[in-house]
């Protein structure tokens, strides 16, 4: 997926009014800022009311289990664990979202990858551009390789997950 | 189409091929009282030692229900002798290929080896247990063991190298341990042993010719 410019750097203005979705992270506030995950509307396939998660023994730390979504078995992943952060269990309510990443395999074939993330339930939809500024990845994020960027706006911190890296086509097939 | 016995351990549903089951019997009150719930314990059963595996405990305490009266153990055929702790048994279903999907690839290593497929039912998902792989992994008894489906390799390594993060957790198989690597290592071992034998024989003959006897 292409990067998501939060400032309108496109001279033709084609990125104007691109829609993004913000979901609260299951983290305690840091630096006195609320932390949200930022996705493009193209990345979020569906926001579910709930998901029946089947936990899987011996699974990796960032994989909470599996769930059945429209006849597909999808992994339920923890973004917090992907980023090496400790989850705040008191963040309630939460909501599962189905995300999609498009990538190319070694043969050049385009492949869709799907997964489910558990995020805070208070979703917000905004239009670009936003009045925000990029910043360095905070030191309290242990694994910055799963992030495409970090932005701050007033008392908010936006984390942009790198879905292609998190949903690496070599690791997840659907 | 295979018949699968559905059972529940804690809050998680599992499925085992009916043909793999030797028998199902209640877990005795004495056993529950003596040992409680452990992820893996060795018990005496009909004159032999047997591993009793509680898959729910492997997920952490919240998933394990405390000593329900209906707890049974599903004794699996074959060796090593193994039984699975079942809090409830839901019955037997006949499953077609369309009802089963592979476990997503993010669950690599031990998870994928032990639960290669997921059964889709109206009442929810159930992890299909590969009892042969699970028995071999659990019987290895070593946190440092690196297990791959169909191939077993014992390796003495610090826990940090194996990726085991929680005590008793089966470490995820490392990507650099492949069949080719194992064959290569075994070949080197064989060559090393053979060379040593030939050297010893040659030395013995040479010394005998020169009249040196030890």
């Amino acid at each position: 997926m292409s990067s998501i410019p939060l400032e309108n750097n496109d001279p033709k203005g084609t990125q104007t009014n691109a829609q993004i979705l913000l979901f609260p992270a299951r983290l305690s506030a840091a630096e006195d800022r609320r932390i949200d995950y930022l996705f493009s509307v193209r990345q979020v396939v569906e926001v579910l009311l709930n998901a029946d998660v089947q936990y899987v023994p011996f699974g990796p730390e960032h994989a909470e289990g599996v769930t059945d979504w429209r006849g597909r078995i999808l992994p339920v992943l923890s973004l917090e664990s992907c980023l090496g952060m400790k989850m705040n269990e008191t963040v309630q309510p939460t909501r599962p979202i189905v995300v999609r990443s498009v990538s190319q395999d070694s043969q050049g074939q385009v492949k869709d990858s799907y997964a489910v993330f558990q995020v805070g339930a208070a979703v917000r939809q905004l239009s670009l551009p936003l009045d925000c500024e990029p910043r360095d990845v905070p030191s309290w994020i242990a694994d910055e390789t799963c992030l495409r960027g970090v932005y701050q706006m007033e008392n908010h911190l936006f984390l942009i997950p790198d879905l292609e890296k998190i949903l690496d086509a070599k690791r997840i097939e659907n | 189409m295979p018949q699968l016995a559905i059972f529940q351990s804690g809050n998680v549903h599992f499925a085992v091929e009916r043909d793999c089951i030797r028998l199902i019997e209640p877990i005795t009150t004495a056993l529950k009282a003596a040992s409680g719930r452990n992820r893996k314990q060795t018990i005496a059963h009909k004159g032999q030692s047997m591993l009793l595996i509680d898959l729910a405990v492997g997920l952490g305490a919240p998933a394990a229900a405390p000593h329900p009266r209906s707890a049974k153990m599903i004794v699996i055929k074959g060796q090593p002798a193994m039984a699975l702790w079942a809090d409830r048994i839901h019955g037997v279903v006949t499953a077609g290929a369309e009802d089963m999907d592979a476990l997503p690839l993010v669950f690599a290593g031990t998870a994928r080896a032990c639960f290669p497929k997921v059964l889709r039912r109206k009442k929810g998902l159930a992890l299909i247990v590969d009892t042969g792989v699970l028995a071999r992994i659990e019987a290895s008894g070593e946190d440092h063991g690196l297990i791959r489906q169909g191939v077993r390799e014992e390796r003495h390594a610090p826990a940090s190298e194996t990726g085991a993060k929680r005590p008793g957790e089966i470490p995820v198989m490392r990507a650099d341990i492949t069949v080719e690597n194992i064959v290569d290592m075994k070949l080197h071992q064989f060559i090393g042993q053979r060379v040593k034998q030939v050297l010893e024989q040659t030395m013995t003959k040479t010394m005998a010719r020169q009249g040196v006897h030890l």
Side-chain angles (χ1 to χ4, degrees):
Chain A
M1 299 290 282
S2 56
S3 59
I4 305 165
L6 292 193
E7 303 90 14
N8 190 0
N9 293 323
D10 183 354
K12 293 185 182 176
T14 54
Q15 290 292 338
T16 306
N17 298 327
Q19 299 289 306
I20 59 168
L21 295 171
L22 297 172
F23 297 92
R26 292 183 297 175
L27 296 168
S28 305
E31 307 171 6
D32 291 327
R33 296 177 196 272
R34 190 179 116 164
I35 305 168
D36 291 307
Y37 296 121
L38 187 151
F39 298 94
S40 155
V41 290
R42 292 172 294 172
Q43 293 176 311
V44 180
V45 177
E46 189 172 344
V47 178
L48 307 174
L49 283 175
N50 49 47
D52 189 13
V53 180
Q54 172 80 330
Y55 300 101
V56 179
F58 314 134
E61 200 166 336
H62 67 281
E64 295 181 352
V66 291
T67 190
D68 186 354
W69 177 70
R70 300 189 182 186
R72 285 181 168 185
I73 306 298
L74 299 187
V76 180
L77 306 178
S78 163
L79 272 172
E80 291 77 22
S81 294
C82 287
L83 299 173
M85 301 184 292
K86 191 176 176 186
M87 190 169 64
N88 181 353
E89 303 268 2
T90 63
V91 171
Q92 295 287 346
T94 58
R95 185 152 292 175
I97 60 171
V98 181
V99 297
R100 169 179 173 255
S101 171
V102 180
S103 59
Q104 277 190 331
D105 61 17
S106 53
Q107 279 79 41
Q109 287 199 331
V110 174
K111 201 164 187 179
D112 281 353
S113 297
Y114 292 81
V116 174
F117 292 140
Q118 293 275 16
V119 293
V123 57
R124 290 184 295 158
Q125 184 169 347
L126 299 175
S127 297
L128 295 179
L130 293 179
D131 183 19
C132 58
E133 55 185 33
R135 56 161 287 177
D136 292 335
V137 176
S139 58
W140 39 266
I141 292 179
D143 186 0
E144 62 179 77
T145 59
C146 292
L147 279 180
R148 194 176 282 280
V150 180
Y151 289 79
Q152 65 183 32
M153 181 176 83
E154 294 174 353
N155 61 341
H156 289 270
L157 204 62
F158 301 143
L159 306 181
I160 306 177
D162 189 336
L163 285 189
E164 192 171 337
K165 202 159 285 181
I166 295 171
L167 276 61
D168 186 342
K170 293 177 190 173
R171 294 189 292 119
I172 298 177
E173 277 182 0
N174 287 289
Chain B
M1 289 196 290
Q3 289 194 314
L4 300 168
I6 311 295
F7 69 97
Q8 186 176 337
S9 185
N11 295 328
V12 187
H13 290 79
F14 299 93
V16 175
E17 283 202 29
R18 190 180 184 176
D19 291 341
C20 295
I21 299 174
R22 175 177 296 160
L23 60 92
I24 298 174
E25 58 185 32
I27 293 180
T28 63
T29 307
L31 175 62
K32 287 182 206 171
S35 308
R37 297 192 74 147
N38 295 288
R39 192 181 71 79
K40 178 171 70 174
Q41 56 183 305
T42 302
I43 62 172
H45 181 258
K46 296 187 192 298
Q48 67 168 350
S49 294
M50 185 169 70
L51 283 174
L52 178 59
I53 308 298
D54 188 338
L55 292 167
V57 175
L59 290 166
H67 300 302
R69 289 185 180 178
S70 59
K72 292 183 170 56
M73 60 178 174
I74 301 173
V75 182
I76 304 297
K77 292 178 184 174
Q79 292 293 330
M82 180 182 77
L84 300 172
W85 184 301
D87 291 308
R88 282 187 63 185
I89 295 180
H90 295 283
V92 176
V93 299
T94 303
E98 68 279 3
D99 299 321
M100 296 185 277
D101 280 330
L103 192 69
L105 285 180
V106 69
F107 296 95
T110 306
R112 195 172 174 80
C114 293
F115 314 106
K117 289 190 176 179
V118 183
L119 175 68
R120 273 184 282 107
R121 310 173 298 145
K122 285 181 185 173
K123 294 180 182 178
L125 301 177
L127 298 175
I128 300 176
V129 184
D130 186 327
T131 53
V133 170
L134 180 63
R136 286 198 298 276
I137 287 175
E138 294 290 9
S140 71
E142 288 285 345
D143 284 339
H144 307 314
L146 294 174
I147 307 296
R148 182 176 183 168
Q149 203 168 7
V151 176
R152 178 179 166 170
E153 175 65 20
E154 289 295 335
R155 192 171 162 266
H156 296 285
S160 59
E161 284 189 21
T162 63
K165 288 178 183 153
R166 297 190 288 261
E169 178 183 355
I170 301 294
V172 174
M173 192 197 77
R174 284 172 46 172
D176 59 351
I177 301 296
T178 61
V179 172
E180 290 78 18
N181 288 352
I182 292 166
V183 168
D184 193 49
M185 186 193 68
K186 291 292 183 190
L187 192 59
H188 274 88
Q189 281 177 357
F190 169 76
I191 293 172
Q193 285 165 4
R194 187 71 188 127
V195 164
K196 188 180 170 186
Q197 283 173 5
V198 168
L199 276 175
E200 283 173 356
Q201 288 167 5
T202 308
M203 268 187 66
T204 305
K205 287 179 189 171
T206 305
M207 288 163 69
R209 256 190 258 122
Q210 292 177 352
V212 176
H213 298 277
L214 294 175

